[in-house]
Amino acid sequence: MEDQEIIIQGITLAGKPFRPSDWVDRMCSTYASFGTDKKLRYSPYLKPKLVNNVRSLSVDMKLKQVNPEGFEQLIQFAKENQLSIINPAGEAVTIES
């Protein structure tokens, strides 16, 4: 994939808001780890993002190489919950698993 980022939007393909509303924070927490200072550090590959007033999750495509299993879990989560996946230009993206 050419894009360096994909965005999983918190809106279903049917146009309904995805619940729970804090799903982005939960996803970021799942991939977080504690630093040497004992503070929680989010993964550099996942970032909360607001796209068209919709809470979304920005996924750096480097995650696919660094953590293929984690990347696959995110894509499966999006597919199972029928969440929209777009590129930074707002175009729909299909990720083959």
Side-chain angles (χ1 to χ4, degrees):
M1 168 175 279
E2 303 176 357
D3 296 317
Q4 295 181 13
E5 170 190 34
I6 58 170
I7 300 163
I8 302 173
Q9 290 191 292
I11 192 162
T12 66
L13 296 174
K16 305 260 186 204
F18 182 68
R19 299 284 182 242
S21 60
D22 67 344
W23 74 273
V24 172
D25 303 314
R26 291 181 188 202
M27 281 294 170
C28 287
S29 295
T30 300
Y31 290 80
S33 59
F34 285 96
T36 55
D37 59 358
K38 299 183 182 174
K39 291 185 180 180
L40 191 62
R41 305 277 181 212
Y42 284 141
S43 167
Y45 305 106
L46 301 176
K47 292 188 174 46
K49 191 170 198 167
L50 196 61
V51 178
N52 298 325
N53 290 323
V54 175
R55 285 189 46 92
S56 304
L57 180 66
S58 169
V59 181
D60 188 318
M61 289 302 290
K62 291 177 189 168
L63 181 65
K64 190 172 184 178
Q65 278 72 44
V66 174
N67 183 350
E69 187 177 295
F71 180 81
E72 184 60 31
Q73 287 175 342
L74 282 173
I75 298 306
Q76 286 306 315
F77 172 83
K79 287 180 178 181
E80 288 171 10
N81 291 289
Q82 299 182 345
L83 299 177
S84 301
I85 302 175
I86 61 172
N87 65 19
E91 303 163 328
V93 174
T94 302
I95 308 280
E96 297 300 322
S97 22

